[in-house]
Each structure stands twice: as C-alpha cells, then as structure tokens.
C-alpha cells in the first residue's frame, strides 16, 4: 500500500501564522504538524509516501523530510496548485499509486489511541474496497457521518445532517483499493469545482464495498485548523508526553520500532538533536534496546 499526506490549502483560518509558512509545518507541541499524519501511515507499515501541497510550500516539506531515507522510507512530493478537493489527491497521485492500494490522511489531523498500529495493520492487510474511520462526536451536524451494520459495513453517508441517527463522524483517514484512482477521475466536480471525497466514498457504498471502523473510547481524533484547536492539540500532546514519558508521533522512534531503521541509526538521529529533550529521548530508547 502507498500513502498520501494531503497538506494543501493556504491555512487561512490560521492567519497570520500561515501568511508565510504552511500550516502543516507549524508546531504541535514539540514537533511539526505533518509528523502526526506521517506517523499514522508509518504505523500502518507504509513506507512509500507522497506529500501533496501547494507549489510555494513544497520546498518546506522537502527541507524537513528529504527523501525519507533517514527514516527508512521513501518520500515523494507533488503539487496541488488550487484547493480542488480531497479526492483530487488520487488524480494528482495516480502515477505514484500505480497498481497499488492507497491510504490518504489529511495533513492537519491527529490520531492517537491504544492499539492503533494493530488496527491499521489489520485494515491495510485486508483492504477490499474502501475503509473509513469513524469517531463518535456530540455534534454530528458539523461533520459527514456514517451509519453501519453490526459487521461494520457502511449503510449510509450524510453531510452535516441536522437530524442524524448516527454520531460517527468520518475522520480524515481513508484506505482504498486501486479502483479509487479511476473513481476519482470520473466523479463530477461539485458546484465549487471540487472533487469531493464523499462522492468517491458513495461509489464504494453503492458497490457494497465500504466499511467504517469506529475509533471509540480511549482514542483521540483532533484537527488543528483553528488557533484554538491548534493550541488544544499541543496541550493534549504535552500532557500525555510529560505524564507518560513517551513521545507521540515521534517518527524516528516509529521507524525504529517498525524495523525501518536499526537502533544505531535511530541513536545517531537522536545524537544530532542531543541538546533537546527530543534527541535525548531517542538516544535513551535506543541505548536501552541494546
């Protein structure tokens, strides 16, 4: 499976912070925002990843992440000149995806919870159609929501319903088989000229090949699109890291734990940042492993 991080848009809700920098470069506590969606793909065992962003932001991501080899992965980059909808990622990334299945995660979404890597591996290994991830919310009228049967098959999708019988919001993490490329190329643009991800998902729903995995109690799903939510996300990460003594979305550690790099390589990455608590943490976990 290939992976895509959609890190486009101009972050207008975060102005003036994003006048000169991509939203996904901004810090969420002690690491760049894009580390969080990247960590999701890596936890799923995905090693070939495409970052899609605006033409004037791509160089920032290249400077930050390079070709990915330091993490034992492969990073590629592509432009989305205009914000033409989430589903356009599959059109832009068609050559990158090739004949593979694909995972798409939005660049401003944060996921954290027990057993997340196990859930991702399970769903990646048995992909047949479309897998969405739902999260229970108290205000479903603000989201696209789905209803499911007892086996997790998706029965309906509704955008911002005022009278929903479901409280499962559709999050910014999506898994698809290779059909998604042709589906995205053939959906009709919305009135705003965008390729809507909901329209892609409805095609899978009509085919009877859409599932919804509920991320329930113990999970956190955060989006960081406003000043308030960005601050809250940073506070959430700070609290857990300080109390538990672990790091959330630490790409170097994930690469080590997943076997993408060995302990020595991870230690060297930590040593480069030895004057920070982040670097000391990497040195400690790899020293202990030996």
């Amino acid at each position: 499976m290939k992976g895509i991080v959609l890190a486009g848009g101009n972050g207008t809700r975060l102005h003036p912070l994003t006048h000169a920098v991509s939203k996904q470069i901004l810090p969420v506590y002690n690491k760049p925002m894009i580390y969080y969606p990247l960590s999701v793909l890596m936890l799923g065992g995905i090693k070939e990843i495409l970052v899609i962003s605006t033409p004037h932001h791509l160089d920032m991501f290249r400077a930050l992440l390079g070709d990915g080899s330091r993490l034992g992965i492969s990073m590629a980059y592509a432009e989305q000149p205009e914000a033409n909808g989430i589903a356009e990622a599959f059109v832009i990334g068609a050559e990158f995806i090739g004949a593979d299945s694909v995972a798409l995660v939005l660049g401003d979404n944060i996921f954290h919870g027990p057993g997340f890597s196990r859930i991702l591996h399970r769903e990646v290994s048995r992909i047949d159609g479309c897998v969405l991830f739902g999260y229970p919310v108290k205000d479903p009228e603000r989201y696209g929501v789905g209803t499911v049967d007892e086996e997790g098959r998706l029965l309906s999708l509704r955008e911002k319903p005022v009278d929903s019988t479901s409280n499962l919001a559709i999050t910014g993490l999506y898994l698809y088989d290779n059909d998604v490329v042709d589906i995205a190329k053939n959906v009709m643009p919305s009135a705003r000229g965008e390729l809507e991800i909901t329209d892609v998902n409805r095609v899978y729903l009509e085919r009877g090949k859409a599932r919804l995995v509920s991320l329930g109690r113990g999970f956190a799903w955060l989006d960081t699109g406003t000043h308030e939510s960005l601050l809250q996300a940073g506070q959430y990460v700070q609290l857990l890291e300080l109390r538990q003594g672990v790091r959330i979305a630490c790409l170097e550690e994930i690469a080590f734990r997943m076997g993408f790099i060995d302990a020595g390589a991870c230690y060297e990455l930590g040593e480069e940042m030895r004057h920070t608590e982040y670097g000391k943490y990497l040195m400690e976990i790899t020293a202990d492993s030996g």
Side-chain angles (χ1 to χ4, degrees), residues 15-117:
H15 282 173
L17 291 176
T18 49
H19 274 310
V21 67
S22 168
K23 171 175 66 175
Q24 289 85 9
I25 296 290
L26 295 176
V28 178
Y29 184 44
N30 56 3
K31 59 192 76 71
M33 186 187 299
I34 198 171
Y35 273 36
Y36 297 85
L38 273 175
S39 73
V40 171
L41 299 177
M42 292 172 65
L43 286 171
I46 297 170
K47 299 177 68 175
E48 295 179 72
I49 300 170
L50 174 70
V51 173
I52 297 176
S53 189
T54 64
H56 54 285
H57 287 154
L58 273 180
D59 284 345
M60 299 178 188
F61 295 110
R62 288 192 181 99
L64 176 66
L65 302 167
D67 64 2
S69 58
R70 287 159 56 88
L71 298 172
I73 62 177
S74 174
M75 297 293 306
Y77 303 89
E79 296 181 0
Q80 185 184 38
E82 302 291 339
N84 291 327
I86 295 171
E88 190 183 36
F90 304 114
V91 179
I92 294 170
E95 184 176 347
F96 168 79
I97 296 167
D100 289 317
S101 54
V102 61
L104 171 67
V105 61
L106 302 186
D108 60 359
N109 275 216
I110 295 175
F111 297 86
H112 179 254
F116 195 31
S117 182

Side-chain angles (χ1 to χ4, degrees), residues 29 234-244:
Y29 184 44
Q235 291 172 331
Y236 171 84
V237 173
Q238 179 190 39
L239 179 63
L240 286 185
E241 291 196 354
L242 292 179
R243 287 194 174 183
Q244 298 181 358

Side-chain angles (χ1 to χ4, degrees), residues 20 33 51 58 83 92 131 133-134 158 163 185 198 200 217 252 267 277:
M33 186 187 299
V51 173
L58 273 180
I92 294 170
V131 176
F133 293 83
R158 299 179 65 192
D163 57 348
K185 287 179 178 179
T198 300
V200 170
R217 186 183 298 272
E252 298 84 355
Y267 185 90
E277 292 302 314

Side-chain angles (χ1 to χ4, degrees), residues 2-260:
K2 303 285 182 64
I4 295 177
V5 179
L6 183 58
N10 295 311
T12 53
R13 290 186 297 165
L14 284 169
H15 282 173
L17 291 176
T18 49
H19 274 310
V21 67
S22 168
K23 171 175 66 175
Q24 289 85 9
I25 296 290
L26 295 176
V28 178
Y29 184 44
N30 56 3
K31 59 192 76 71
M33 186 187 299
I34 198 171
Y35 273 36
Y36 297 85
L38 273 175
S39 73
V40 171
L41 299 177
M42 292 172 65
L43 286 171
I46 297 170
K47 299 177 68 175
E48 295 179 72
I49 300 170
L50 174 70
V51 173
I52 297 176
S53 189
T54 64
H56 54 285
H57 287 154
L58 273 180
D59 284 345
M60 299 178 188
F61 295 110
R62 288 192 181 99
L64 176 66
L65 302 167
D67 64 2
S69 58
R70 287 159 56 88
L71 298 172
I73 62 177
S74 174
M75 297 293 306
Y77 303 89
E79 296 181 0
Q80 185 184 38
E82 302 291 339
N84 291 327
I86 295 171
E88 190 183 36
F90 304 114
V91 179
I92 294 170
E95 184 176 347
F96 168 79
I97 296 167
D100 289 317
S101 54
V102 61
L104 171 67
V105 61
L106 302 186
D108 60 359
N109 275 216
I110 295 175
F111 297 86
H112 179 254
F116 195 31
S117 182
R118 174 182 52 80
I119 294 170
L120 291 171
H121 272 272
R122 181 190 70 206
E123 299 303 330
V124 165
S125 67
R126 65 181 188 180
I127 188 70
D128 179 24
C130 159
V131 176
L132 308 178
F133 293 83
Y135 188 80
V137 295
K138 65 179 181 180
D139 48 357
E141 67 277 2
R142 294 181 53 216
Y143 303 91
V145 298
T147 57
V148 295
D149 64 16
E150 293 180 354
E151 297 181 357
R153 284 190 296 262
L154 191 64
L155 300 177
S156 70
L157 277 173
R158 299 179 65 192
E159 281 295 321
K160 299 181 179 179
V162 295
D163 57 348
S164 177
T165 58
S166 171
N167 70 335
L168 284 178
I170 306 300
T171 70
L173 173 62
Y174 317 85
L175 308 181
Y176 299 98
D177 63 16
N178 191 255
D179 288 349
V180 73
V181 175
D182 285 335
I183 292 172
K185 287 179 178 179
N186 288 288
V187 296
M188 292 295 294
S190 69
R192 296 181 297 176
E194 297 182 357
L195 298 182
E196 301 286 356
I197 196 69
T198 300
D199 292 334
V200 170
N201 294 336
R202 285 201 175 103
V203 173
Y204 281 101
L205 174 61
E206 291 165 2
R207 294 179 179 181
K209 299 188 71 174
R211 298 178 52 251
L212 180 64
V213 176
S214 177
L215 302 175
R217 186 183 298 272
F219 271 86
W221 169 52
L222 309 168
D223 116 17
T224 51
T226 67
H227 296 99
E228 292 76 16
S229 59
L230 179 62
L231 177 61
Q232 290 165 3
Q235 291 172 331
Y236 171 84
V237 173
Q238 179 190 39
L239 179 63
L240 286 185
E241 291 196 354
L242 292 179
R243 287 194 174 183
Q244 298 181 358
V246 298
R247 293 291 185 268
I248 296 172
C250 177
L251 299 186
E252 298 84 355
E253 179 182 13
I254 293 170
F256 167 53
R257 303 291 188 198
M258 296 294 296
F260 299 169

